[in-house]
Amino acid sequence: MVDKVQIRLTNTRTRSKEDFNPIDDKNIRVYACGPTVYDRAHLGNARPVVVFDVLFRLLQHVYGEDAVTYVRNFTDVDDKINARAAETGRPIRDITEETISWYHEDMKALGALRPTEEPRATDYIPQMVAMIEDLITKGFAYAAEGHVLFEVRKFSEYGKLSGRSLDDMIAGARVEVAPFKRDPMDFVLWKPSTGNQPGWDSPWGYGRPGWHIECSAMSAELLGDVFDIHAGGIDLQFPHHENEIAQSRCAHGSEVMANYWLHNEMLQVEGKKMSKSLGNFFTVRDLLDQGIPGEVIRYVLLMTHYRKPMDWTVEKVREAEKTLRRWHHATADLQPSEPHPDFIAALADDLNIAEAMSVLHRLSTDPSRDRSMLSSLLASARLVGLLTEKGGNWLTTQRIGGGSDVLIEELMSQRWEFRQLKMWADADRIRDQLSSAGVKVSENKDGSYTYEFTSDFDPVKLAAIK
């Protein structure tokens, strides 16, 4: 545990930034809503993964690795999955297993740690049935025509998380109201299954759970009736998280479901909403297959504070790659020391990653920097999943939009930094490697330079320079 680090988080529940005071500082409990596994994760899906991975890492750093339990679920029973099975003729289990495998591969490429627990909804059907039975017994839910519905008006605080009035929600609703609902806002806890739809036996007949009850049942089973942090994208705030709170609090008789609620904002592409109709929709795997390294994707996702909308742009990708190349070269052959206190302070201030990144830039460009500062840079970056040993594998390849010119610029910038630090051997190594690759450089005392390619120029050798 690290002394004297007070984490502060913006709590959606209270609409204020608060000191994070865990229920038990030896057992921090965090839940984040995970994917519905029917297709590849798109870039918008990746943002909460990376954001809350940083939260997970920070909590581990402050309280100890064994003191944090992070749960992120897989929704593996859903109408979208059923539709994909009907469309392809493939068994549902095959689709979900394949998609979970893809998800693990893609999130690993982004440097995300595996959560402590990754429960699958289909493994917790008994817990869901038990919670639904309890809600009926306590008068908060009712059965009707093979369905079970939560009676929203029985929970007086419905809408507080999202700041919505129940009457306004009803007035603005554009949904077909099922005849068996007592109120248009009542939501499904259990529904009947027919034909090839997946289903389980229950007191209300053969059927399957509604979406919202899954997270309530799994979080209660793995983290308890009340836990520390519930996280997810802002798109889940209503109705998913609102419904989670209603059914969980009514089932457990608690004042809260989680003490702190964190929501990340949405993602755009070049200033526009990501959508297939605009041709700017892509998955994480699409980007990886285009040759954009996972570490670069991660950096871009971290360039914007999690509570602000972020814009994915080609220019940001170039900026991220250039910065990471420089940092990798600056910390080559060094061992990490301890994260810089200013870096930790920035992260502890509501995951202020922009300020934290500015600390890293300062460490890498400070004229008085030495090896100890660069070692602190390395430790700080690794805390948020950057500059890892595996993450730097992409440095050996030529990259997007810049070609040899960009790489030479970065290498010469690194050579100049080594010269300023009087790290002559490292500076000479870069010069010699460039020469070996067929790049003839003429330098001036102020660090400016010109270069030309000789007849022996080898772009493969150039790309392999570390």
Side-chain angles (χ1 to χ4, degrees), residues 77-328:
V77 52
D78 183 87
D79 288 345
K80 291 180 180 178
I81 302 173
N82 300 343
R84 181 57 53 88
E87 173 189 331
T88 62
R90 298 179 62 197
I92 287 173
R93 187 72 176 182
D94 287 358
I95 292 171
T96 58
E97 288 291 335
E98 179 181 59
T99 307
I100 289 171
S101 175
W102 287 344
Y103 188 84
H104 281 147
E105 290 174 3
D106 293 346
M107 297 310 111
K108 181 179 179 181
L110 300 187
L113 301 175
R114 285 280 188 96
T116 317
E117 301 279 355
E118 293 183 291
R120 303 184 186 195
T122 53
D123 291 336
Y124 289 80
I125 300 297
Q127 290 87 342
M128 296 177 206
V129 170
M131 179 174 280
I132 294 169
E133 288 183 301
D134 192 31
L135 287 168
I136 292 175
T137 299
K138 292 176 177 176
F140 294 107
Y142 59 93
E145 299 183 23
H147 295 74
V148 180
L149 297 107
F150 184 90
E151 193 164 2
V152 169
R153 290 193 182 274
K154 292 289 185 71
F155 181 58
S156 62
E157 295 190 28
Y158 190 85
K160 282 199 170 182
L161 180 73
S162 56
R164 303 181 182 213
S165 156
L166 185 56
D167 290 333
D168 288 344
M169 283 188 268
I170 293 173
R174 295 182 179 180
V175 294
E176 182 179 349
V177 179
F180 49 79
K181 281 189 177 185
R182 295 178 182 174
D183 188 282
M185 293 306 297
D186 292 351
F187 59 88
V188 172
L189 301 174
W190 189 265
K191 53 190 173 183
S193 293
T194 59
N196 294 326
Q197 294 174 329
W200 291 262
D201 291 326
S202 80
W204 318 286
Y206 187 71
R208 60 197 190 279
W211 174 34
H212 312 297
I213 195 69
E214 297 176 9
C215 290
S216 286
M218 289 186 283
S219 64
E221 180 72 13
L222 295 170
L223 300 176
D225 296 352
V226 178
F227 50 93
D228 294 296
I229 299 171
H230 195 311
I234 193 68
D235 56 315
L236 299 179
Q237 184 186 55
F238 180 85
H240 185 51
H241 290 164
E242 202 74 75
N243 292 352
E244 278 189 63
I245 289 172
Q247 61 203 12
S248 292
R249 286 187 55 189
C250 290
H252 306 311
S254 57
E255 291 297 317
V256 295
M257 178 185 181
N259 286 330
Y260 303 86
W261 286 80
L262 272 62
H263 291 94
N264 66 276
E265 266 291 351
M266 303 296 285
L267 176 142
Q268 296 179 323
V269 177
E270 301 289 352
K272 298 179 180 179
K273 180 179 179 180
M274 187 170 69
S275 71
K276 293 180 179 178
S277 62
L278 293 175
N280 65 352
F281 178 94
F282 39 78
T283 67
V284 173
R285 179 51 52 183
D286 290 335
L287 295 175
L288 294 170
D289 288 346
Q290 289 171 20
I292 302 178
E295 185 179 23
V296 172
I297 299 171
R298 183 182 183 90
Y299 186 103
V300 175
L301 291 172
L302 292 177
M303 291 173 76
T304 305
H305 192 279
Y306 77 95
R307 288 192 299 106
K308 295 180 179 179
M310 76 152 289
D311 191 15
W312 173 275
T313 68
V314 171
E315 183 56 38
K316 285 181 179 177
V317 173
R318 291 191 179 120
E319 178 185 343
E321 182 177 353
K322 185 174 181 179
T323 298
L324 288 169
R325 280 189 183 277
R326 184 161 55 84
W327 288 353
H328 271 291

